[in-house]
Amino acid sequence: MRTKTICILGGAGFVGQHLVRRLGEAGWHCRVPTRRPHRHRDLKLTRHLSLLPVSSLDRATLAELFAGCDAVVNLVGILNEDGSSTFERAHVELVRELTAAATEAGVSRLIQMSALNADAIGGGSAYLRSKGAGEDLAHQAEGLQVTSVRPSVIFGRGDSFFNRFASLLELAPGVFPLACPDARFAPVWVGDVCEAIARALDDPRTIGRRYDLCGPRTFRLEELVEQTASWIGKRCLLIGLNDRASRWQANLFERLPGKPFTMDNYWSMQTPSICGEHNGLLELGIHPSDIETIVPTYLR
């Protein structure tokens, strides 16, 4: 039986590293392009993986990467803009280039990583509007069989959610001012997201579908941060900021190195990141994992 080959854009990132392991175990040969292969030497230990150095992801380069592939997964995404790295470029222009390159290379299957609440017109932030525009472009591409996954905040070993709050709490001098404390999330485990992608690849019934992915419970942000403090054994007084103070913090923090919190993050958090009536994990036969069973294992 011929080994199937898949190119994973963003495969060296948080979700990507988990996905290449899951697909490698299933027998897929994974191509992972990266600008800095020396930073990801540990990935070379993954079964059926080729780490490919690239300087850009223009259409010609993408067509070369996709040649001989059976499928493509696009995980590329940014939470904040920085210089030349813009939402338009990362979430929209790249999708336009990769769909054209996939057609040129004869690849017909694409899994597009989007985001819960992504909407090109009605999205509450520039991030969500650009994610929605990219998702729409993927589904509208002629000759491509597309499935998109739309997760809430993703957690797991190496995540930038619980790990970031844990680091900030460790530095806090006993008091922690928290913006948007009432923002709601349904955190979804990275392993479940990767399982959803793996199952979608093997199931033609998922073609053309857009799956919202959520964990089993909904939390306020303040509850998640309180739980994080408990898991790392940090005693800290959380002070939930009102709307005006949250905006003030966003305006200040987006000027700091690394942009820990921006106005666009603030606007994204005004829309609850939770699933409606349909959780795509359940539709795909996956029982969502709870934060209680996963997060303590890597924070402690």
Side-chain angles (χ1 to χ4, degrees), residues 1-64:
M1 184 177 177
R2 185 179 70 87
T3 300
K4 293 181 291 185
T5 300
I6 189 166
C7 184
I8 305 176
L9 304 181
F14 162 54
V15 176
Q17 292 188 38
H18 290 268
L19 182 61
V20 295
R21 295 186 182 98
R22 170 63 180 85
L23 295 182
E25 291 169 358
W28 285 85
H29 179 85
C30 300
R31 294 179 185 172
V32 176
T34 174
R35 289 182 174 86
R36 304 175 181 86
H38 60 282
R39 292 189 179 181
H40 308 290
R41 292 171 183 163
D42 56 320
L43 276 179
K44 293 183 179 180
L45 301 176
T46 305
R47 296 175 58 193
H48 310 302
L49 176 94
S50 297
L51 203 59
L52 306 175
V54 296
S55 58
S56 67
L57 291 178
D58 56 74
R59 186 178 306 187
T61 300
L62 289 168
E64 290 181 14

Side-chain angles (χ1 to χ4, degrees), residues 32-299:
V32 176
T34 174
R35 289 182 174 86
R36 304 175 181 86
H38 60 282
R39 292 189 179 181
H40 308 290
R41 292 171 183 163
D42 56 320
L43 276 179
K44 293 183 179 180
L45 301 176
T46 305
R47 296 175 58 193
H48 310 302
L49 176 94
S50 297
L51 203 59
L52 306 175
V54 296
S55 58
S56 67
L57 291 178
D58 56 74
R59 186 178 306 187
T61 300
L62 289 168
E64 290 181 14
L65 291 168
F66 297 165
C69 285
D70 297 276
V72 171
V73 176
N74 179 29
L75 302 176
V76 175
I78 59 173
L79 288 175
N80 294 312
E81 296 182 308
D82 186 15
S84 62
S85 183
T86 66
F87 293 138
E88 179 71 18
R89 190 166 185 175
H91 300 158
V92 183
E93 291 180 10
L94 175 60
V95 175
R96 186 177 290 111
E97 293 293 290
L98 76 86
T99 53
T103 301
E104 181 180 331
V107 179
S108 60
R109 191 71 172 104
L110 170 65
I111 306 293
Q112 171 72 13
M113 174 70 85
S114 187
L116 206 58
N117 300 319
D119 187 324
I121 305 300
S125 65
Y127 167 79
L128 291 173
R129 289 189 293 274
S130 65
K131 272 293 191 179
E135 182 182 330
D136 290 344
L137 271 177
H139 280 271
Q140 292 163 3
E142 293 186 12
L144 277 181
Q145 300 172 339
V146 181
T147 304
S148 53
V149 292
R150 299 157 49 89
S152 181
V153 62
I154 303 175
F155 70 90
R157 190 173 299 277
D159 69 45
S160 59
F161 187 81
F162 286 105
N163 281 299
R164 169 170 286 192
F165 277 114
S167 298
L168 292 173
L169 285 164
E170 291 284 11
L171 296 172
V175 178
F176 191 91
L178 180 66
C180 306
D182 294 322
R184 291 192 294 159
F185 300 90
V188 58
W189 181 42
V190 65
D192 290 337
V193 174
C194 293
E195 184 64 26
I197 292 173
R199 294 192 184 192
L201 282 167
D202 290 332
D203 188 349
R205 293 174 299 179
T206 66
I207 295 170
R209 296 288 306 278
R210 309 185 191 211
Y211 291 94
D212 290 350
L213 306 182
C214 289
R217 291 194 286 162
T218 297
F219 300 88
R220 293 168 53 248
L221 179 60
E222 188 170 23
E223 294 173 321
L224 293 172
V225 178
E226 286 175 346
Q227 189 63 72
T228 301
S230 174
W231 282 325
I232 66 174
K234 174 73 175 185
R235 292 195 174 190
C236 193
L237 175 63
L238 287 183
I239 300 178
L241 302 179
N242 61 25
D243 187 68
R244 182 176 180 180
S246 295
R247 291 179 185 230
W248 181 86
Q249 188 185 82
N251 273 304
L252 173 64
F253 281 20
E254 70 181 3
R255 292 171 170 79
L256 299 178
K259 296 186 177 183
F261 184 52
T262 68
M263 275 305 299
D264 202 69
N265 299 152
Y266 164 85
W267 287 117
S268 290
M269 292 167 69
Q270 302 312 298
T271 306
S273 186
I274 59 178
C275 288
E277 295 182 2
H278 303 289
N279 186 344
L281 291 180
L282 297 176
E283 293 184 45
L284 292 166
I286 302 167
H287 182 72
S289 302
D290 192 75
I291 61 172
E292 290 278 358
T293 62
I294 306 290
V295 180
T297 65
Y298 61 87
L299 283 190

